[in-house]
Amino acid sequence: NHYTIPPEATLVKEGDLNSDLIVLVSGKICVNTTSKEGNTFDLAELTSGSLFGEMSLLEKRPAVATVKALEECIIWQISHEKISSLQVSNPELSLEWQQLIAKKLALQLTKQNEWIYRNVSNVQAIEPLRKVLILFASLNECDIYKLAKIGKLMHVEPGCCLVRQGENVTSLYLLLSGEAEILIEINKESKKVGSSCRGEILGEVTFLLPEQRGASATVKSNGMELLCLDKQELAKLLKEDPNFGARFYIALSRMLSQRSRDQLVSRQLSSLSQKKLIETQAENAAEMDLNELADTSRAGRQFQWLCEKFQMHSKI
């Protein structure tokens, strides 16, 4: 369905749970979020061709930002049910659509990183990366087996750099054991902005945005073992099996969405969304999402199998 939206109208309200994905056909919109003190911060201005509303759908959580029309806009609203039905009716189109959403979130997170370091004072706070369980919870056993077939084990000694900021990244990395520091160069000074430990994924942004040359950060090893997935081989594998490809990109989207949300919350932003989430969790404290629990448990078993398979092979 398409609609004409007047200037100043609110399309998405921070703290509300949205059921549709919205495409901006024409016009201009503003995206802003609220601090703990009640101040409003503008995150971005978007123009025609932009997508929004996907984070609530992916995480089933309240929107992290408010979206308002700056001028008259024409939008399309696409229901989650219609998007999900593509996996059965048109797997190839579903793959392309989910890849598009994942790329959009990767670009959004990249721009959000720049905004955070430019506008928020406490950028030195350590930001943990999202664990691989989010990825594996969306994949089945056959998917994990396919990843294992193209994967290679890599050992990185303490003090060595896996990737350096600005350099080409040829693989997607799953951290099987050990730890790493995430550093970025700000005003010619190297600053630690995150850390990675067992179960993390590295290199997903450059996988999704190959046109952006080079790593966005330096990854320095404290001693670790990684499963390396060559990006060209992985892209070929996802294209050959559209259903697997769609599941993989959905998983990356969920991971990027939660990273984006966590980054805002850690800087005491998106306060209306966080308040609504806490209220909802308190109301449903006695209820357990058994499906989510089962997915997490299954993801843990699959990751453990992958670790044992490669670490056992390395000892033979």
Side-chain angles (χ1 to χ4, degrees):
N1 298 325
H2 72 277
Y3 303 93
T4 299
I5 307 298
E8 301 300 321
T10 298
L11 288 79
V12 174
K13 185 177 180 181
E14 182 184 339
D16 285 357
L17 188 62
N18 304 306
S19 58
D20 296 318
L21 185 103
I22 302 174
V23 180
L24 182 62
V25 178
S26 66
K28 184 184 294 185
I29 60 176
C30 176
V31 182
N32 60 62
T33 189
T34 309
S35 71
K36 189 176 180 180
E37 294 77 20
N39 299 318
T40 299
F41 291 86
D42 290 338
L43 295 174
E45 284 189 6
L46 304 178
T47 55
S48 58
S50 301
L51 303 170
F52 52 97
E54 75 287 343
M55 288 177 64
S56 280
L57 295 177
L58 288 164
E59 300 181 57
K60 296 181 175 59
R61 292 185 176 186
V64 297
T66 294
V67 180
K68 286 188 175 182
L70 294 176
E71 58 190 35
E72 184 175 274
C73 298
I74 297 176
I75 64 167
W76 287 343
Q77 281 186 304
I78 308 172
S79 71
H80 177 61
E81 289 74 18
K82 287 185 178 180
I83 296 172
S84 297
S85 68
L86 286 176
Q87 288 185 275
V88 176
S89 62
N90 195 331
E92 289 77 14
L93 180 58
S94 177
L95 168 61
E96 292 183 12
W97 177 260
Q98 298 302 342
Q99 184 180 27
L100 175 65
I101 297 296
K103 286 188 173 186
K104 184 263 184 184
L105 283 165
L107 183 59
Q108 175 181 304
L109 183 61
T110 300
K111 291 182 177 180
Q112 182 174 295
N113 285 337
E114 295 171 357
W115 184 91
I116 287 287
Y117 295 121
R118 189 172 62 247
N119 294 283
V120 182
S121 60
N122 62 333
V123 295
Q124 72 276 10
I126 302 305
E127 177 191 342
L129 300 181
R130 184 57 61 174
K131 291 186 177 294
V132 77
L133 292 183
I134 297 172
L135 175 68
F136 281 18
S138 298
L139 304 179
N140 59 40
E141 291 183 3
C142 290
D143 298 337
I144 305 301
Y145 180 73
K146 289 176 182 178
L147 293 177
K149 284 188 69 176
I150 67 168
K152 297 179 181 178
L153 187 68
M154 172 187 283
H155 301 270
V156 184
E157 296 297 323
C160 296
C161 289
L162 174 67
V163 296
R164 294 184 182 274
Q165 186 174 341
E167 292 185 356
N168 187 37
V169 183
T170 59
S171 298
L172 190 69
Y173 302 99
L174 306 184
L175 185 46
L176 303 182
S177 65
E179 296 180 349
E181 296 178 353
I182 312 299
L183 308 108
I184 64 170
E185 187 173 305
I186 304 174
N187 298 325
K188 297 184 179 180
E189 181 181 351
S190 183
K191 292 188 177 182
K192 182 179 176 181
V193 296
S195 58
S196 273
C197 58
R198 183 175 185 267
E200 305 290 0
I201 300 176
L202 302 167
E204 74 282 1
V205 173
T206 54
F207 173 69
L208 291 168
L209 303 175
E211 66 278 7
Q212 293 194 355
R213 301 287 181 180
S216 59
T218 295
V219 179
K220 185 177 180 181
S221 171
N222 291 329
M224 55 185 180
E225 289 186 328
L226 306 123
L227 180 66
C228 304
L229 303 170
D230 181 82
K231 290 181 178 179
Q232 292 185 347
E233 286 189 68
L234 178 58
K236 180 181 178 182
L237 184 64
L238 299 177
K239 189 174 182 180
E240 289 173 348
D241 187 342
N243 287 315
F244 169 41
R247 289 191 294 272
F248 188 85
Y249 285 116
I250 289 172
L252 287 184
S253 293
R254 286 175 177 157
M255 185 176 61
L256 291 167
S257 180
Q258 291 199 31
R259 273 185 65 188
S260 178
R261 180 188 296 273
D262 287 351
Q263 187 185 62
L264 291 174
V265 171
S266 72
R267 268 61 176 187
Q268 297 187 345
L269 299 172
S270 190
S271 61
L272 296 179
S273 173
Q274 189 68 2
K275 180 181 178 181
K276 183 65 176 179
L277 181 61
I278 292 171
E279 290 173 355
T280 302
Q281 289 174 337
E283 291 172 1
N284 301 322
E287 298 179 10
M288 292 182 62
D289 189 335
L290 297 180
N291 289 331
E292 184 176 346
L293 185 62
D295 287 344
T296 302
S297 177
R298 176 174 53 81
R301 292 194 303 272
Q302 290 178 162
F303 178 62
Q304 185 62 32
W305 173 83
L306 196 66
C307 291
E308 291 174 354
K309 172 181 171 61
F310 281 91
Q311 290 171 335
M312 182 182 299
H313 179 74
S314 68
K315 296 175 183 177
I316 297 175

